[in-house]
Amino acid sequence: AEALLLRVKSPADLDHAELRLLLGASLRWQGQLQEAVSHLEHAFSVFTALEEEGRRASAANFLGWTLLSMGRLDDSRRWFTKSLTINRELEATRRVAQNLQNLAIVSYKQGSWQQASSFLQEELALVGDEKDMVCRARIALGNVQRQQGEFLDARSSLMKAYSLAAECGLVREETLALEFMGDVFRDEGNPAEARRYYQRGLALARSLAPRGDLVMELLRREGECLDLEGRHEEAHHLLNETLALAQEVGDRFEVAVIKRCLGVNSGNLGRWRVARQFLLQTLATLSEMNARPELMVASYRLARTLLRQIDTGNAGAYSARLLEEAWEHALAAEKLSKDLVATHLNEDIKDLVSGLAR
């Protein structure tokens, strides 16, 4: 595409804009996100000037995905919404459905559960018997239900999605269903069973892209579960490997979550200063993104880690200061928990705050 661009004389030419769109999409998949944004914004501007509405919608959708990978969730929502508006006007039903799912993903990353569910229910009503779209919508719906602690409903949605994906040979969707079913077991307190699902997902993910986004997500989850099982050194090595992969892919959200896992893991290994550094870095990034569910988790984990440092006698003269800091992060987690209404950590956070108040 770069070589072809040199042959097209006018940057306002339709062919030039098409090549920019293709190049931007390709760069996004390669993890070169900032460069991708530049090409996609140029393509969108040219398509707007030429009144190429369908192409405008495509460029806006790609911009939404690229900005989502960069952790710019509010900007991502804005571009997905712009694409949705155009596609509604064009009555492009399948593209509308895709936009709705993309907006659902942004919504659940920001903790807007009802909005995410509403987008997904509308998508399901639109797609009819298009099995790939039905499958992806059910996977996303299962993830929303899981994050709200509705484990039975989540398992049902994900099992239906998995069966449909396996029946239709949709390998990526099959992998995602396994990944999120593993999350249900992890959040229910069964990390060993969760890892069985992650390992099955990894075998599929590696067949698609050995160093792709699915491999990265599954390795992080496996590392987190190893840590929950008390296999802290194994978890440490796996999480560090996954962090390098996430940085290579360019996914800021995933980098932040991996650092949260590494922070908890470092605390489990007695590396308290490193634990606090990782968790504070996570909080800063997630706060900037307005990624409220993960921000709540990180605040809760940091409060717990600081308390464990004090309880094990490793705080020294800093005990009072660390206790105050733990209290602040516990209250921040509690506020986020109340704002989000329903999460799988509600009771744990309530118990933490109650214990600190005594």
Side-chain angles (χ1 to χ4, degrees):
E2 288 177 327
L4 289 171
L5 274 176
L6 298 174
R7 300 180 191 175
V8 181
K9 294 181 180 179
S10 172
D13 183 88
L14 179 60
D15 290 339
H16 184 98
E18 285 275 21
L19 288 168
R20 287 282 194 119
L21 178 63
L22 291 170
L23 185 56
S26 175
L27 288 167
R28 174 187 169 263
W29 284 112
Q30 294 173 50
Q32 300 177 49
L33 303 178
Q34 193 57 58
E35 194 174 349
V37 168
S38 175
H39 288 291
L40 293 168
E41 285 180 338
H42 179 95
F44 181 83
S45 297
V46 174
F47 292 146
T48 300
L50 297 176
E51 298 183 352
E52 291 283 345
E53 293 302 287
R55 291 180 170 90
R56 274 185 78 218
S58 292
N61 192 58
F62 274 119
L63 273 164
W65 267 116
T66 306
L67 292 163
L68 180 61
S69 295
M70 295 172 74
R72 292 167 56 182
L73 301 185
D74 290 332
D75 289 335
S76 174
R77 181 187 292 275
R78 181 168 59 86
W79 282 103
F80 283 144
T81 301
K82 192 170 291 192
S83 182
L84 174 64
T85 301
I86 297 167
N87 283 323
R88 284 198 196 277
E89 290 172 356
L90 295 173
E91 298 182 358
T93 303
R94 186 177 176 86
R95 287 187 171 187
V96 166
Q98 290 169 338
N99 293 147
L100 289 167
Q101 182 164 138
N102 295 343
L103 282 164
I105 292 169
V106 176
S107 295
Y108 72 61
K109 281 181 181 286
Q110 294 188 316
S112 300
W113 313 129
Q114 289 187 338
Q115 187 177 60
S117 294
S118 177
F119 283 136
L120 293 167
Q121 294 296 348
E122 185 180 353
E123 180 191 4
L124 284 167
L126 283 175
V127 297
D129 61 354
E130 292 192 50
K131 293 182 178 179
D132 59 331
M133 298 292 288
V134 171
C135 188
R136 285 192 287 274
R138 283 181 177 164
I139 290 169
L141 187 60
N143 196 32
V144 172
Q145 291 163 334
R146 189 268 307 171
Q147 291 186 79
Q148 295 178 90
E150 299 170 0
F151 297 134
L152 288 175
D153 290 339
R155 188 173 279 109
S156 174
S157 296
L158 292 166
M159 281 301 299
K160 288 177 183 175
Y162 175 77
S163 298
L164 186 59
E167 172 193 326
C168 298
L170 302 170
V171 179
R172 185 176 177 85
E173 287 72 19
E174 192 176 348
T175 306
L176 284 167
L178 288 167
E179 176 180 319
F180 291 144
M181 281 195 285
D183 288 354
V184 174
F185 282 102
R186 180 200 61 200
D187 291 352
E188 287 180 322
N190 192 345
E193 186 66 16
R195 283 199 308 111
R196 288 184 59 246
Y197 282 87
Y198 297 150
Q199 287 164 359
R200 289 169 61 192
L202 266 172
L204 293 172
R206 284 181 167 132
S207 73
L208 294 171
R211 295 185 64 79
D213 59 333
L214 292 178
V215 171
M216 169 190 68
E217 293 170 12
L218 286 157
L219 286 174
R220 185 260 296 172
R221 285 164 162 83
E222 184 164 8
E224 183 178 14
C225 285
L226 284 169
D227 203 39
L228 289 168
E229 291 177 65
R231 298 163 64 177
H232 305 311
E233 288 290 354
E234 290 176 75
H236 180 74
H237 292 300
L238 186 56
L239 288 168
N240 272 298
E241 176 190 335
T242 311
L243 178 61
L245 180 54
Q247 289 168 334
E248 179 184 315
V249 171
D251 191 325
R252 283 185 71 224
F253 180 85
E254 193 65 28
V255 166
V257 177
I258 295 166
K259 285 185 175 181
R260 185 258 295 166
C261 294
L262 275 167
V264 174
N265 172 252
S266 297
N268 289 331
L269 290 167
R271 299 166 186 168
W272 303 109
R273 187 172 60 84
V274 175
R276 183 173 176 275
Q277 287 175 344
F278 270 130
L279 287 161
L280 287 175
Q281 288 171 15
T282 297
L283 289 178
T285 303
L286 294 174
S287 180
E288 179 190 330
M289 293 181 187
N290 192 29
R292 296 184 300 163
E294 280 295 339
L295 184 61
M296 177 196 70
V297 174
S299 297
Y300 168 69
R301 297 298 179 195
L302 178 52
R304 287 279 306 270
T305 299
L306 293 171
L307 286 176
R308 286 182 58 235
Q309 182 178 357
I310 296 167
D311 291 343
T312 54
N314 288 285
Y318 299 102
S319 292
R321 195 187 79 184
L322 292 180
L323 182 60
E324 184 178 349
E325 189 176 341
W327 175 245
E328 289 172 0
H329 291 299
L331 288 177
E334 182 185 46
K335 184 181 185 308
L336 285 162
S337 174
K338 288 178 178 177
D339 290 346
L340 295 169
V341 181
T343 79
H344 71 282
L345 281 178
N346 276 15
E347 291 303 315
D348 292 333
I349 291 170
K350 191 183 299 182
D351 289 344
L352 174 65
V353 173
S354 296
L356 280 165
R358 285 199 292 270

